[in-house]
Amino acid sequence: MSLGDYLRYLRAVKGGPTPWEIADATGVPSSIYRQMEQRYRAVGDEEALVKLAGYFQVPVEELRWRFDWPRKALSAALVAAQEEGRPIRLHLRTGESFAGRVEWWDLGAVLLTLADGQQVVVQRHVVERWET
Amino acid sequence: MEDLWKIRQRKQMSIAQLSSRSGVPVERLREYEAGREDIRTDDLPRLARALYVEEWEIKLRSDPIPAKAAAQEPAGRAKRKPEGRQRREAKPGQPPQPSAPARPSQITHLQALLQRLALKQAEVEVAIGKPFAELTRLEASGLLGELQRRLTAERPAREKGKRRRPYLPESVDEFEFRYLTAQQEAARPIEFTLFNGQRLSGQIVGFSPYAITIRQADGAEVTLQKLAIAYYRVPGGEVVP
């Protein structure tokens, strides 16, 4: 899970504070926070990571190692699976996993068609790891 | 902040569609868009949800829609026009501005294209008669176009419909938007599973980039924060586009 998706997850666990509320609490500007969550490239610095780790009450290392893992990794896996017609298995933080064909993916979600024909829209921020 | 009509047109939505999606009557929308009335506080969240934007992005009192923009009203789900940069015309009577130096991003782009074409920068600089550092913005733009055309000509044509999507997921949120729109229009019940394992079912009555409002079987409306949602699906295995 990339830093962006992990921050999104932490925000969900904390009850969904807005970037403005996070900015007020941490001093990390809301625009930077938003970019850290959404940008393709790594955004932010050590100071921001430390402040956010304190705010979300997680070890800073949990944020640090994800810093160099941009959202591109999951996107690339989704594109490859979609273009090559291979199923992808998404393991969720809830402990569940879904394997299926990628119909579409975007900023926040992925639509999979499962082997039994059912479709499920998985939110990207819940994907912990994946296999193709 | 933007005028209501500007956002609506950008989303390729007609007034009738916006009315249907938001529940705000067409006549009132016309009043809002003409700038004759401020958007009511109870209509603002409904419009923001329907347009998939934040409330603060909509100006409470729009500037009236210009005749030119009114003539380009989207007719429902019109095909999106290709977006291209418009060339800025010099104002009549004004001397042309001296061309600014090339942007660093243009030079970076040039170097990337050279690499893809297996060309050496020094050779290209000799061919064009000056180093990249001395290129004007216009010259860099022309050279970029030339190299891009060459790259296109040299690359084998992709099979139609096999266009590669850019790896820029943060720039795209329209797929889920379309999916939710289709579910809302079809009034299908959707089953949502939240992070905490809780499951809720209902028909979508509105959504924004951050939340989805559903009407449950007992008529109660619940707004789910997207961040709290793990996944959702149409029960019964119905495949939808």
Side-chain angles (χ1 to χ4, degrees):
Chain A
M1 182 184 280
S2 71
L3 177 64
D5 287 328
Y6 188 55
L7 286 174
R8 196 171 157 84
Y9 165 75
L10 291 175
R11 198 152 67 85
V13 170
K14 206 172 169 72
T18 65
W20 298 281
E21 288 167 336
I22 294 171
D24 285 344
T26 64
V28 177
S30 59
S31 58
I32 296 294
Y33 178 80
R34 194 180 285 277
Q35 288 182 37
M36 289 177 82
E37 259 198 21
Q38 297 182 353
R39 282 290 176 186
Y40 167 72
R41 60 188 166 82
V43 174
D45 53 16
E46 179 69 14
E47 187 188 352
L49 294 185
V50 171
K51 285 177 176 173
L52 290 171
Y55 177 73
F56 287 120
Q57 296 180 315
V58 294
V60 69
E61 192 50 40
E62 280 292 296
L63 301 185
R64 202 178 281 135
W65 72 265
R66 290 181 162 95
F67 188 70
D68 294 325
W69 192 0
R71 291 169 59 89
K72 178 180 172 181
L74 177 55
S75 300
L78 292 169
V79 168
Q82 189 176 24
E83 290 191 345
E84 291 162 24
R86 284 186 285 115
I88 189 168
R89 179 172 288 278
L90 303 179
H91 296 275
L92 314 188
R93 290 189 71 92
T94 56
E96 298 159 284
S97 74
F98 290 112
R101 195 175 68 237
V102 178
E103 301 294 341
W104 52 252
W105 59 272
D106 68 8
L107 167 70
V110 180
L111 176 65
L112 292 182
T113 296
L114 311 182
D116 62 3
Q118 279 203 53
Q119 290 188 322
V120 59
V121 179
V122 176
Q123 296 297 304
R124 281 177 68 131
H125 61 266
V126 82
V127 178
E128 178 68 22
R129 57 193 174 84
W130 55 90
E131 295 161 34
T132 54
Chain B
M1 293 218 300
E2 268 187 295
D3 296 316
L4 178 63
W5 59 264
K6 265 189 200 162
I7 301 174
R8 176 180 61 75
Q9 288 197 343
R10 198 176 68 234
K11 303 279 182 181
Q12 297 287 307
M13 214 183 277
S14 66
I15 288 190
Q17 281 178 320
L18 179 58
S19 170
S20 154
R21 197 168 289 172
S22 65
V24 178
V26 169
E27 281 314 308
R28 203 187 303 160
L29 286 175
R30 289 194 200 285
E31 294 296 302
Y32 290 159
E33 292 200 350
R36 286 191 289 267
E37 200 180 315
D38 280 356
I39 296 175
R40 297 180 191 176
T41 49
D42 53 340
D43 284 344
L44 189 60
R46 297 158 78 186
L47 290 170
R49 245 193 339 254
L51 288 164
Y52 213 56
V53 296
E54 295 279 33
E55 290 177 24
W56 57 262
E57 291 178 58
I58 306 173
K59 267 164 75 172
L60 284 182
R61 185 177 283 258
S62 291
D63 293 327
I65 183 165
K68 194 177 169 190
Q72 294 171 342
E73 270 295 302
R77 263 193 182 281
K79 201 173 175 183
R80 193 181 286 263
K81 289 179 186 169
E83 288 173 10
R85 257 184 217 178
Q86 302 295 314
R87 189 175 291 278
R88 206 173 286 171
E89 299 287 343
K91 288 182 184 168
Q94 280 186 355
Q97 296 285 322
S99 190
R103 294 190 186 94
S105 59
Q106 286 180 306
I107 303 297
T108 308
H109 193 178
L110 276 173
Q111 288 166 336
L113 286 177
L114 291 183
Q115 200 175 359
R116 291 173 71 184
L117 287 162
L119 294 173
K120 290 195 171 125
Q121 182 173 336
E123 289 170 5
V124 175
E125 285 177 337
V126 169
I128 61 174
K130 59 164 78 173
F132 281 3
E134 290 177 17
L135 285 175
T136 64
R137 203 166 287 181
L138 201 60
E139 289 168 340
S141 175
L143 185 56
L144 278 171
E146 193 183 316
L147 292 175
Q148 194 66 57
R149 280 190 293 277
R150 186 167 161 184
L151 190 66
T152 307
E154 288 181 10
R155 256 189 326 206
R158 283 205 186 93
E159 203 181 319
K160 209 171 180 183
K162 288 273 182 185
R163 193 173 164 197
R164 183 179 287 273
R165 292 178 56 201
Y167 286 4
L168 290 170
E170 74 271 21
S171 65
V172 184
D173 62 2
E174 65 192 47
F175 290 91
E176 191 176 22
F177 170 81
R178 283 188 203 152
Y179 183 85
L180 290 169
T181 302
Q183 304 312 322
Q184 184 177 3
E185 286 173 355
R188 289 190 185 95
I190 307 283
E191 184 184 82
F192 293 83
T193 301
L194 309 186
F195 261 104
N196 61 6
Q198 188 184 354
R199 291 200 169 155
L200 293 164
S201 292
Q203 289 178 3
I204 297 170
V205 293
F207 57 88
S208 77
Y210 307 110
I212 301 173
T213 302
I214 58 169
R215 185 178 297 121
Q216 295 175 293
D218 62 1
E221 287 191 6
V222 181
T223 297
L224 305 169
Q225 293 299 316
K226 283 248 198 99
L227 284 170
I229 299 171
Y231 57 89
Y232 56 88
R233 57 182 157 189
V234 178
E238 187 180 358
V239 176
V240 286

